[in-house]
Amino acid sequence: MSTAILTGPPAPGSSLDGDLRSLGFDVRIASGAEETGALLAAVPAGERVALVDPRFVGHVHALRLALTDPRFPAAAAPGALTAQSEARPALARALSTVSAAPAPTGTGTLADDLTGTLAEALDADGVAVHRPALGTLVATVPTDAESRREARAAVDAVDDEAVRLRTAVKAHDGFFTTFFISTYSRYIARWCARRGLTPNQVTTASLLTALIAAGCAATGERAGYIASGVLLLVSFVLDCADGQLARYALKYSTMGAWLDATFDRAKEYAFYAGLALGAARNGDDVWGLALGAMVLMTCRHVVDFSFNEANHDATANTSPTAALSGRLDSVGWTVWARRMIILPIGERWAMIAVLIAVTDPRIVFWALIIGGSFGACYTTAGRVLRSLTRKAQRTDRAAQALADLADSGPLAELVAKAGRRPGVRPLFRAPLALALAGAALVVVFAWLEPFGSPLTVMAAALYAVFAGGAVVRPLKGALDWLVPPVFRAAEYGTVLVLAAKADAAQALPAAFGLVAAVAYHHYDTVYRIRGGTGAPPAWLVRVTGGHEGRTLLVAVLAAFLADRGDDFTLALTALAVAVALVVLVESIRFWVSSGAPAVHDEGETA
């Protein structure tokens, strides 16, 4: 249990003691500064501790936001301060320093604002103190009876629960999610919170529902298709509710971060597989379309991730294009129009649910590919324009994040190491051009050459060389954030083309499994970087071969197994299983470890 220490006797009639206990705190009352320090020292080192001014007046949810959020080592609001185990030593030092200082003249007290003084001391000691945005919530420390009455009136004027429900919903969401899901899913989240359900349980329920939906789609029957569409929407409602529950109850966790970050893609791609299986039952082979849709969606997400990481902490990060976007945002309807046309997850799943109920999987996949392609062109073009017109100085951190997203294996690193020599380095001045040239080379040869051609193997080997050349220099150029998406398109596209051209039965389903396993590795990399823990360990990238190594390996397998029946399918299946096992084991190990970030991913915002 966490401990809250009131730094003095509470005011008569105050509900502060009960409010803190309702938040799960064991409340202790100090008679002064010296006893506050003693009580702080008596709290076990691994527990959260909060210091609260006994004069505090405010909403319970204000205290909840300030004192119970697990994502931050320290947090503060007017009259309240909390520190988790990692910030406890700094808090003890700050309290000792403040206690040793003379009391302010004429007050006879340690300080007029002890918690505020301690928060400033923590900041000065290098501890980042989170200060939540309270909005209309009240959190104040009145100094006399009149100001206390005014503070109580302000508390009574704002519905604490209504604010809590409203802020449980993500601020910037898609049109369908905002107006057709969140209007009621927030109440589902509250219902779950009041019954002790956790976000992880709701996330798991969403996954199971989506898998059942995929199973219904795999029947290939109209009733199965209709049921799959309904269940897919139910899964999406639960998917929204899990994040809203996390925000409503502030139940963020390392396991929740991993589940939420990966299950959305697992659900969608499992449903693609279910649609392909259902179509096959009716004699329609759409595995190529299913894989194409998965490749398109994954590459779109990598574009988003790369652009955001490249500009995460860039200086002078402004452009005329960004200013125009801001002006358009001031016109209400344009905000929703721009969010809808890029086919975010809510609109995408709604479209899938409706189309599968009245048409067939082939039409669903073509709609996904056409709509997704339009959205990808729209967003990528806008980001290219922003990048070309802004004068942003990209940081070393951004360059490292892009290098991690590139997923360069041993072959590319060997070429990059050679390219960093003084006499050779000037040859590698255009990372994006090198990446595009290598990607075009391998995909075009895979497409034009007969299946199993040695020329495709040579093109894949040259792709590895170009890929290494693209990462010789730090990726700090205006458009260098496009390098990781180009690598993803090259690898996934090569696997798709070779599997489509293979005479081996079931090569495309095997390729679907391989791309899904590799895509999981790339999403896992993204969420580790977002959590501030860096990329997966170097040994994992080496063992899985990196993007260029896997591309070359698939080309070699196609060349050696072209005339050996189903051996190519078996090889792709074995490779998919091997990659999935390695990356899943390492991912699970990381996300359940104490080193994983306690965050809850907000999911797609556009």
Side-chain angles (χ1 to χ4, degrees):
M1 178 180 285
S2 301
T3 300
I5 301 173
L6 296 181
T7 58
S14 172
S15 62
L16 185 55
D17 185 289
D19 292 343
L20 290 170
R21 293 185 188 279
S22 71
L23 297 177
F25 285 97
D26 177 23
V27 180
R28 302 176 186 178
I29 301 175
S31 59
E34 185 175 345
E35 189 176 0
T36 298
L39 290 175
L40 176 63
V43 177
E47 292 185 5
R48 173 193 290 273
V49 67
L51 301 182
V52 182
D53 193 306
R55 301 167 296 174
F56 177 89
V57 174
H59 289 99
V60 176
H61 192 49
L63 286 173
R64 181 182 291 108
L65 291 172
L67 302 181
T68 67
D69 196 322
R71 297 172 296 175
F72 309 103
L81 170 69
T82 186
Q84 298 202 71
S85 56
E86 58 267 41
R88 287 276 303 277
L91 177 59
R93 290 193 299 271
L95 183 58
S96 176
T97 300
V98 172
S99 299
T105 303
T107 65
T109 62
L110 176 66
D112 287 335
D113 182 13
L114 175 60
T115 56
T117 302
L118 291 174
E120 293 174 0
L122 288 178
D123 281 325
D125 199 16
V127 177
V129 179
H130 172 66
R131 293 171 173 83
L134 299 179
T136 57
L137 295 175
V138 176
T140 185
V141 180
T143 56
D144 55 50
E146 180 60 27
S147 59
R148 187 172 185 82
R149 283 193 295 272
E150 293 174 354
R152 291 304 314 170
V155 170
D156 294 338
V158 176
D159 187 341
D160 179 280
E161 180 62 19
V163 172
R164 189 181 178 191
L165 267 177
R166 185 177 67 250
T167 55
V169 177
K170 192 161 53 178
H172 303 289
D173 226 328
F175 179 85
F176 179 78
T177 305
T178 299
F179 294 103
F180 293 91
I181 302 295
S182 293
T183 51
Y184 55 88
S185 62
R186 68 184 75 182
Y187 297 102
I188 297 175
R190 181 171 67 180
W191 183 91
C192 293
R194 290 178 175 177
R195 283 152 184 80
L197 297 177
T198 67
N200 294 352
Q201 292 170 329
V202 178
T203 302
T204 303
S206 175
L207 174 66
L208 293 175
T209 304
L211 293 179
I212 295 172
C216 292
T219 64
E221 299 177 356
R222 178 56 54 195
Y225 287 158
I226 294 173
S228 71
V230 172
L231 289 172
L232 188 66
L233 290 178
V234 172
S235 174
F236 184 63
V237 171
L238 293 174
D239 181 56
C240 294
D242 70 350
Q244 291 163 1
L245 174 57
R247 288 183 286 272
Y248 181 86
L250 296 184
K251 290 185 176 180
Y252 303 97
S253 67
T254 55
M255 179 63 74
W258 176 63
L259 294 177
D260 191 68
T262 56
F263 277 13
D264 278 354
R265 303 288 76 77
K267 289 181 288 190
E268 187 164 3
Y269 298 157
F271 195 80
Y272 290 0
L275 291 177
L277 289 170
R281 285 181 174 271
N282 295 314
D284 189 11
D285 186 358
V286 297
W287 277 106
L289 293 176
L291 180 52
M294 181 167 67
V295 169
L296 175 62
M297 293 304 167
T298 304
C299 289
R300 277 190 61 184
H301 292 148
V302 177
V303 168
D304 295 341
F305 300 145
S306 295
F307 179 79
N308 291 334
E309 288 302 323
N311 296 283
H312 176 73
D313 50 5
T315 58
N317 204 4
T318 58
S319 73
T321 310
L324 174 61
S325 178
R327 288 196 295 272
L328 287 174
D329 284 344
S330 65
V331 183
W333 67 268
T334 66
V335 175
W336 298 117
R338 291 161 65 205
R339 291 183 187 176
M340 291 174 65
I341 62 177
I342 60 175
L343 205 62
I345 187 170
E347 278 74 0
R348 191 164 68 246
W349 284 27
M351 182 185 74
I352 293 172
V354 171
L355 287 180
I356 196 55
V358 298
T359 61
D360 57 57
R362 180 172 291 272
I363 293 177
V364 171
F365 284 126
W366 275 118
L368 282 170
I369 291 171
I370 293 170
S373 297
F374 178 81
C377 291
Y378 175 82
T379 55
T380 304
R383 287 166 177 173
V384 167
L385 287 175
R386 289 190 185 195
S387 299
L388 292 175
T389 56
R390 69 172 30 144
K391 298 178 181 179
Q393 298 297 321
R394 298 221 162 85
T395 62
D396 292 337
R397 177 207 171 277
Q400 184 59 54
L402 292 178
D404 293 336
L405 289 173
D407 190 33
S408 299
L411 295 177
E413 287 298 332
L414 185 64
V415 173
K417 184 176 180 180
R420 294 186 183 108
R421 295 175 181 175
V424 182
R425 185 182 177 94
L427 299 176
F428 301 97
R429 293 183 178 275
L432 179 59
L434 289 168
L436 286 170
L441 186 70
V442 67
V443 174
V444 168
F445 269 81
W447 181 266
L448 297 179
E449 288 296 313
F451 179 74
S453 170
L455 291 179
T456 303
V457 177
M458 293 177 59
L462 287 175
Y463 169 67
V465 175
F466 279 97
V471 294
V472 167
R473 294 173 176 271
L475 298 177
K476 292 186 175 182
L479 297 178
D480 285 355
W481 56 271
L482 283 169
V483 170
V486 169
F487 287 161
R488 298 295 81 77
E491 179 183 1
Y492 301 163
T494 301
V495 174
L496 169 59
V497 171
L498 290 176
K501 296 184 69 175
D503 292 331
Q506 304 301 313
L508 278 169
F512 186 96
L514 175 59
V515 172
V518 175
Y520 175 87
H521 167 56
H522 292 144
Y523 281 112
D524 186 56
T525 300
V526 166
Y527 289 112
R528 293 193 197 211
I529 293 172
R530 280 186 171 183
T533 58
W539 69 262
L540 180 64
V541 178
R542 289 195 294 268
V543 168
T544 56
H547 68 95
E548 81 290 348
R550 290 186 297 269
T551 303
L552 179 58
L553 177 58
V554 172
V556 169
L557 290 173
F560 277 95
L561 304 176
D563 300 321
R564 297 181 60 178
D566 293 337
D567 285 0
F568 182 62
T569 297
L570 294 175
L572 287 182
T573 303
L575 182 58
V577 171
V579 172
L581 284 176
V582 173
V583 299
L584 275 172
V585 169
E586 162 55 23
S587 177
I588 294 171
R589 181 209 64 78
F590 170 77
W591 286 103
V592 301
S593 71
S594 58
V599 298
H600 184 90
D601 178 64
E602 296 295 326
E604 288 182 52
T605 57

